[in-house]
């Protein structure tokens, strides 16, 4: 399946890009985007505990099942206000 | 009403937008940018948003506030892009028949906004360094979902 991965804040800086179409096997879960990201930068492993995930603009757990066309966002600790 | 804008926030217009004849009071919160962070001088701030999700979360917070308190009107505005020191980065105004509900709803909205809305602050220090703020996370625990 194809999903759109979006990165913000520190996650964008670590990866060096803010969005990318990625190919994942059927049965993939939200946290599988880190398989791709860990290959881009080893820093993602250190940051992983504080990074949340959103699918189609809703916070989800790591196990959330993905489907073709989903938008998966990596959400670092928010600091608005 | 919720809004994300790269323009300077018009506080007076925000207040007027929640003014209704049946309201007995308006509670207004203005978050302004500070000139120091972690004992270092800050030159200016920049805010980045996951805009579509941030708007959705802000709308949900407004709905939740409406379900918990009998408020007349509420407005949540967050600025993005560069925000100079002393300018408003966030404005929340809530009107209700009685002040207690307006105070409580406004406090709920700013507290929750800071916890769940995907917006990030980047600090540009006077010494030339630039850092993503982890202030909320460091001071108040991990980000919780809504």
């Amino acid at each position: 399946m194809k999903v759109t991965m979006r990165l913000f804040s520190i996650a964008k800086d670590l990866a060096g890009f803010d969005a990318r179409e990625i190919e994942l096997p059927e049965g993939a879960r939200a946290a599988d985007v880190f398989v791709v990201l860990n290959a881009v930068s080893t820093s993602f492993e250190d940051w992983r505990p504080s990074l949340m995930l959103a699918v189609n603009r809703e916070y989800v757990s790591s196990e959330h099942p993905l489907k073709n066309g989903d938008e998966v966002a990596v959400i670092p600790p928010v600091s608005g206000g | 009403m919720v809004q994300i804008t790269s323009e300077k926030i018009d506080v007076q217009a925000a207040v007027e937008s929640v003014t209704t004849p049946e309201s007995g009071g308006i509670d207004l919160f203005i978050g302004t940018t500070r000139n120091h962070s972690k004992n270092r001088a800050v030159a200016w701030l920049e805010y980045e948003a996951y805009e579509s999700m941030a708007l959705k979360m802000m709308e949900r917070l407004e709905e939740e506030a409406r379900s918990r308190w009998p408020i007349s009107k509420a407005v949540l505005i967050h600025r993005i892009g560069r925000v100079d020191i002393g300018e408003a980065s966030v404005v929340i105004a809530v009107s209700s028949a009685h002040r207690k509900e307006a105070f409580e709803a406004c406090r709920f909205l700013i507290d929750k906004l800071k916890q769940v809305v995907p917006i990030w602050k980047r600090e540009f220090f006077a010494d030339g360094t630039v850092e993503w703020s982890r202030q909320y996370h460091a001071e108040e625990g991990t980000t919780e979902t809504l």
Side-chain angles (χ1 to χ4, degrees), chain B residues 59-73:
Chain B
E59 276 170 5
R60 191 169 301 164
L61 290 179
E62 184 185 343
E63 282 164 25
E64 197 178 334
R66 284 182 183 285
S67 72
R68 291 174 65 167
W69 294 279
I71 58 180
S72 307
K73 283 191 167 185

Side-chain angles (χ1 to χ4, degrees), chain B residues 10-21 26 28 73 75 93 95:
Chain B
D10 185 339
V11 178
Q12 191 57 39
V15 171
E16 282 165 15
S17 75
V18 299
T19 303
T20 69
I26 294 168
L28 172 67
K73 283 191 167 185
V75 63
S95 59

Side-chain angles (χ1 to χ4, degrees), chain A residues 14 34 38 41-51, chain B residues 134:
Chain A
L14 295 176
F34 288 108
N38 289 339
S41 166
T42 52
S43 303
F44 275 102
E45 288 197 22
D46 300 332
W47 275 90
R48 179 67 189 93
S50 58
L51 299 174
Chain B
R134 297 189 67 194

Side-chain angles (χ1 to χ4, degrees), chain A residues 12-13 58-59 71 79 81, chain B residues 48 50 60 78 116 121 132:
Chain A
K12 179 178 67 179
D13 289 356
E58 289 287 348
Y59 286 109
E71 179 170 296
S79 52
Chain B
E48 173 185 309
Y50 180 7
R60 191 169 301 164
H78 205 296
V116 304
K121 174 164 65 181
W132 288 105

Side-chain angles (χ1 to χ4, degrees), chain B residues 16-131:
Chain B
E16 282 165 15
S17 75
V18 299
T19 303
T20 69
E22 67 270 20
S23 306
I26 294 168
D27 195 56
L28 172 67
F29 176 80
I30 307 173
T32 55
T33 48
R34 237 188 332 253
N35 68 356
H36 63 278
S37 174
K38 293 160 268 177
N39 297 318
R40 293 160 68 195
V42 174
W44 72 85
L45 299 174
E46 273 184 21
Y47 288 87
E48 173 185 309
Y50 180 7
E51 200 164 326
S52 55
M53 182 173 170
L55 288 168
K56 187 175 178 178
M57 292 293 134
M58 288 160 76
E59 276 170 5
R60 191 169 301 164
L61 290 179
E62 184 185 343
E63 282 164 25
E64 197 178 334
R66 284 182 183 285
S67 72
R68 291 174 65 167
W69 294 279
I71 58 180
S72 307
K73 283 191 167 185
V75 63
L76 293 81
I77 305 170
H78 205 296
R79 190 166 162 192
I80 53 170
R82 174 172 166 158
V83 181
D84 286 329
I85 301 305
E87 292 186 352
S89 53
V90 62
V91 169
I92 295 177
V94 179
S95 59
S96 63
H98 303 286
R99 69 183 180 283
K100 184 168 180 281
E101 290 76 22
F103 276 128
E104 288 177 3
C106 191
R107 169 109 199 217
F108 164 84
L109 288 168
I110 184 60
D111 287 351
K112 280 283 182 181
L113 181 147
K114 289 173 80 87
Q115 290 170 20
V116 304
V117 176
I119 294 177
W120 299 272
K121 174 164 65 181
R122 201 173 201 192
E123 294 164 323
F124 287 72
F125 290 97
D127 63 10
T129 56
V130 181
E131 287 173 20

